[in-house]
Amino acid sequence: AKRLPNMNFYPASDAENYDLLAQSILIGNGFRNGMTVVRPLYAAFLALLHSIAGNDYMSVTDLQIFVIALYPLSVYWIGKLIYRGEVGLLAAAWVTWREVYSIQCTPLVQVSNVRLLMSDMPTALMVSLIILAFLLWLRKCEQPSLLMVTGGLTGLTMLIRTQSAVVIPIILFFIFYYKKTGHRVLQNCVIFIVSVLIIIVPWNLLNQINPNLTQPQNTSEENYLLTLFERIVYEDEELSSRHG
């Protein structure tokens, strides 16, 4: 709902944190400004949208939708590369209508969509681009440039949402599975991993050299994920003990 004093929409929860980081960048305080930064690329993306559209929420999300509109297009090309154009068209239509339905359901249930300043849909877009680039690499006789693009996109996606690192072992598996020619396999794996590291290492080095002393060191996303997994294990053990 719109809020006073200027009757504008305002983000809340995680979206509020991302947007505060973006506002910190815009006023010249950088990423930190006393806050923990776990998804720097998404905060920078929001800062770019604000620099173009100002602080009107609907205008900012309109721009975000304009960018994420590439998602159905990339899904179409993935379907076309895997099987045929009709499959890609059906998949693209499905993800489009799914998002329309998600927006309609927002007042009733908590669901992430392109009208919210959340990292889920940008991550989905980036993962689809990773898959597309990797499929093209498989089709284009192992051109190193396409594998470098795949690794670079993977690194960028990890700066939007750390959990996307799960695609790294999957891609390495398919490199081994489809390309079984000795040293070429190792070379391709090195190209991919180095491309990922080129993107993510500078940010991690910056955090090591210039740590954010205003926040406890256990507030990183790695610790947050570890806490979630520990909670799941604890709950499973508690349920087992009750039914044991």
Side-chain angles (χ1 to χ4, degrees):
K2 294 183 178 181
R3 301 179 185 175
L4 296 172
N6 56 349
M7 300 307 294
N8 193 13
F9 294 99
Y10 288 94
S13 187
D14 290 346
E16 179 181 359
N17 293 329
Y18 300 147
D19 207 37
L20 284 173
L21 290 168
Q23 296 293 342
S24 175
I25 296 171
L26 290 173
I27 64 176
N29 284 345
F31 279 97
R32 298 289 178 64
N33 195 27
M35 294 176 285
T36 300
V37 184
V38 292
R39 291 164 188 175
L41 189 56
Y42 186 59
F45 173 67
L46 290 180
L48 176 62
L49 297 187
H50 278 294
S51 66
I52 298 172
N55 287 324
D56 181 76
Y57 187 89
M58 295 301 291
S59 297
V60 171
T61 53
D62 283 343
L63 283 179
Q64 178 169 258
I65 292 171
F66 181 80
V67 174
I68 298 178
L70 294 172
Y71 178 45
L73 180 62
S74 63
V75 169
Y76 165 77
W77 282 108
I78 290 170
K80 185 177 181 180
L81 287 172
I82 292 177
Y83 190 61
R84 56 194 299 179
E86 291 83 352
V87 172
L89 187 62
L90 182 62
W94 184 84
V95 298
T96 301
W97 283 110
R98 174 193 174 278
E99 197 57 28
V100 171
Y101 189 66
S102 296
I103 294 174
Q104 293 174 345
C105 287
T106 301
L108 304 176
V109 294
Q110 291 184 345
V111 57
S112 180
N113 59 65
V114 291
R115 273 295 178 195
L116 302 177
L117 304 183
M118 302 289 285
S119 62
D120 302 71
M121 290 309 299
T123 302
L125 168 61
M126 294 298 294
V127 171
S128 70
L129 294 177
I130 292 169
I131 296 171
L132 181 59
F134 189 61
L135 288 174
L136 289 173
W137 176 78
L138 291 174
R139 291 287 187 92
K140 299 290 184 179
C141 302
E142 301 185 35
Q143 290 185 10
S145 58
L146 286 172
L147 195 57
M148 292 174 65
V149 170
T150 303
L153 289 171
T154 303
L156 291 173
T157 308
M158 290 174 62
L159 295 180
I160 297 175
R161 199 176 183 93
T162 311
Q163 297 94 317
S164 57
V166 70
V167 304
I168 294 177
I170 295 173
I171 289 176
L172 292 176
F173 169 79
F174 280 104
I175 290 175
F176 275 97
Y177 184 79
Y178 284 105
K179 309 294 178 182
K180 302 177 181 178
T181 53
H183 70 281
R184 293 294 298 275
V185 172
L186 180 60
Q187 176 184 334
N188 291 332
C189 289
V190 170
I191 290 173
F192 172 70
I193 293 297
V194 169
S195 300
V196 174
L197 293 177
I198 287 174
I199 300 298
I200 65 173
V201 165
W203 175 255
N204 286 279
L205 281 178
L206 177 64
N207 287 329
Q208 293 297 322
I209 295 171
N210 184 29
N212 184 5
L213 301 178
T214 63
Q215 290 288 324
Q217 294 305 301
N218 60 356
T219 56
S220 66
E221 183 156 359
E222 290 81 2
N223 281 289
Y224 172 70
L225 293 174
L226 181 60
T227 302
L228 290 180
F229 285 123
E230 288 177 343
R231 184 184 305 166
I232 293 171
V233 171
Y234 173 77
E235 290 175 352
D236 288 342
E237 291 177 350
E238 187 176 5
L239 286 174
S240 298
S241 63
R242 289 179 181 177
H243 296 285

